[in-house]
Amino acid sequence: MIPVTLTTHSRLSSLDFDDIPFGKVFSDHMFYAEYNNGTWQKMEIKPLQKLEIHPSNLAWHYGQSIFEGMKATKHIDGSPMLMRPEMHAQRMNASAERMCMPTFPEEMFVEAVSQLVSIESAWIPPAKGSALYLRPIMFAADEFIGVRPSEKYIYIIMALPVGPYYSTPLRLKAEETYIRAADGGTGEAKTAGNYAGSLYPWQKAKDEGYDQIMWLDAKEKKYIQEAGTMNIFCVINDVVITPKTSGSILKGITRDSILKILSAEGYQVEEREITIDDLIAASNDGSLTEIFGSGTAAVVIHVKEVGYQDTTLTLDPDTFKIAPFVKNYIDSLRDGSMEDKFGWTTKLTQSTAV
Ligand SMILES: Cc1ncc(COP(=O)(O)O)c(C=O)c1O
């Protein structure tokens, strides 16, 4: 068991479960650990608090900072639950290795998340599609100016209640000038710099009236990779296609779940390279029926338009079948209303400590 210090000033009563602004409301506690002298230490669950950090903190200068995004939800019987936490533990460690940071024991990650969620279970909004969003982050903590891997690191898991994520269908810009990731780069790691580098092209796309970017490969600028901060799927001739991951695409856990669910449900799925020209051709001959993005926060978001050079490809999200089916499937696994034949979900006990 991880030592726990509980808050004496819970903020829970000030939360309006019907109106939770995304990303701004934090639960009462956080998990905290430090890495020093080659070991993880000072592990604790304690009241969420500010950190005192020296201006030379290595992470701020040279970017050794990684994170995860996952959800705890409420089962229809009221128990808190997690879905595939070990996948997030593994991806966090894959990101850590790429960024030359220490890994964190997988079972300790799952224990920390489980204990934190049990303590914060009253913060999990009950409505379907809503969740307690969990944000693990690890960053370099050496006080040092100079490019080298840090020797000290801080690991935190914070929790944010979030309402159901309603998103209107997206307009994507297939981006030919800027790239998110290149072969041999850090695109497969969930590291801060990848997101920083995407902001400027995203802002430009927004100025042009788009919602998000459809990222193309760095070399030939023709293979589709991701949609904003989501993986991307399209349906052509009833085959569900998603770009195969080969180093520059984030290995989305929702992507993996969607592939497994659709295969089990008898859909034909393919992980393969697909170009923007293939999409346009399929749109022109009527075989392209859906494009959607996938990610933990929204599960699935429909795409209604893709702009590329002087072509605009349009879709009618009202006719989409697979995207809403799979979103409902995952939301139903997450609230226990669908039988979990994959063994992905774990019910936790509700801590009565607070
Ligand atoms: C760049 C990027 N691609 C894809 C995803 C979707 O991954 P997941 O389904 O694990 O949330 C995310 C979100 O984590 C992301 O940041």
Side-chain angles (χ1 to χ4, degrees), residues 30-326:
M30 65 182 188
F31 168 79
Y32 181 90
E34 287 178 13
Y35 184 87
N36 200 1
N37 296 321
T39 55
W40 286 105
Q41 45 197 268
K42 298 193 187 168
M43 285 188 210
E44 191 186 354
I45 291 175
K46 59 185 180 181
L48 182 80
Q49 55 200 260
K50 294 187 178 169
L51 308 174
E52 201 169 288
I53 291 188
H54 193 272
S56 71
N57 187 54
L58 263 188
W60 290 343
H61 299 258
Y62 310 112
Q64 270 187 307
S65 179
I66 59 171
F67 64 98
E68 266 305 313
M70 56 189 289
K71 277 174 173 176
T73 47
K74 201 156 252 183
H75 191 280
I76 40 180
D77 72 7
S79 327
M81 61 192 288
L82 293 172
M83 188 164 127
R84 312 189 82 186
E86 70 294 341
M87 294 288 284
H88 292 275
Q90 286 161 16
R91 187 171 65 185
M92 186 80 171
N93 280 343
S95 299
E97 276 177 22
R98 178 63 184 84
M99 303 313 292
C100 213
M101 299 164 83
T103 56
F104 189 80
E106 263 176 49
E107 34 337 311
M108 190 55 74
F109 177 96
V110 174
E111 188 179 331
V113 165
S114 305
Q115 221 178 303
L116 181 65
V117 169
S118 293
I119 290 170
E120 302 296 54
S121 56
W123 286 85
I124 308 175
K128 194 185 189 94
S130 55
L132 187 63
Y133 184 81
L134 303 168
R135 170 49 59 91
I137 178 169
M138 193 223 296
F139 55 90
D142 274 8
E143 297 174 4
F144 178 74
I145 296 290
V147 180
R148 62 152 172 75
S150 187
E151 286 164 6
K152 293 186 197 139
Y153 294 86
I154 292 176
Y155 199 122
I156 286 172
I157 305 175
M158 53 198 133
L160 300 83
V162 292
Y165 198 109
Y166 297 116
S167 172
T168 50
L170 302 179
R171 300 180 69 218
L172 299 182
K173 174 189 177 191
E175 175 60 64
E176 284 190 288
T177 306
Y178 303 98
I179 57 155
R180 192 192 83 89
D183 285 354
T186 59
E188 213 173 72
K190 218 164 153 50
T191 187
N194 288 343
Y195 298 83
S198 73
L199 297 177
Y200 180 71
W202 181 31
Q203 187 56 58
K204 288 188 76 137
K206 283 203 284 192
D207 292 346
E208 292 166 29
Y210 294 100
D211 302 301
Q212 272 297 354
I213 287 179
M214 175 186 273
W215 298 105
L216 302 178
D217 73 289
K219 205 167 165 192
E220 298 183 61
K221 309 266 176 64
K222 64 179 193 182
Y223 295 102
I224 66 167
Q225 296 207 313
E226 302 204 43
T229 58
M230 293 184 293
N231 292 113
I232 192 161
F233 285 81
C234 59
V235 182
I236 299 176
N237 285 326
D238 293 329
V239 180
V240 185
I241 304 163
T242 190
K244 72 171 192 237
T245 59
S246 53
S248 49
I249 292 176
L250 191 83
K251 288 184 177 161
I253 292 158
T254 317
R255 173 188 180 280
D256 185 76
S257 301
I258 290 174
L259 288 172
K260 292 195 163 83
I261 290 167
L262 292 180
S263 298
E265 290 292 317
Y267 289 88
Q268 199 181 332
V269 298
E270 284 180 6
E271 292 178 76
R272 66 163 167 91
E273 288 181 334
I274 175 158
T275 65
I276 180 72
D277 290 329
D278 295 335
L279 276 189
I280 292 167
S283 170
N284 289 340
D285 71 18
S287 57
L288 173 73
T289 46
E290 301 185 31
I291 302 183
F292 55 93
S294 75
T296 296
V299 185
V300 159
I301 301 188
H302 299 181
V303 173
K304 66 172 180 189
E305 201 177 296
V306 182
Y308 176 63
Q309 296 175 344
D310 42 20
T311 306
T312 301
L313 172 170
T314 54
L315 298 121
D316 178 5
D318 289 340
T319 63
F320 287 12
K321 295 193 172 63
I322 295 174
F325 165 77
V326 82

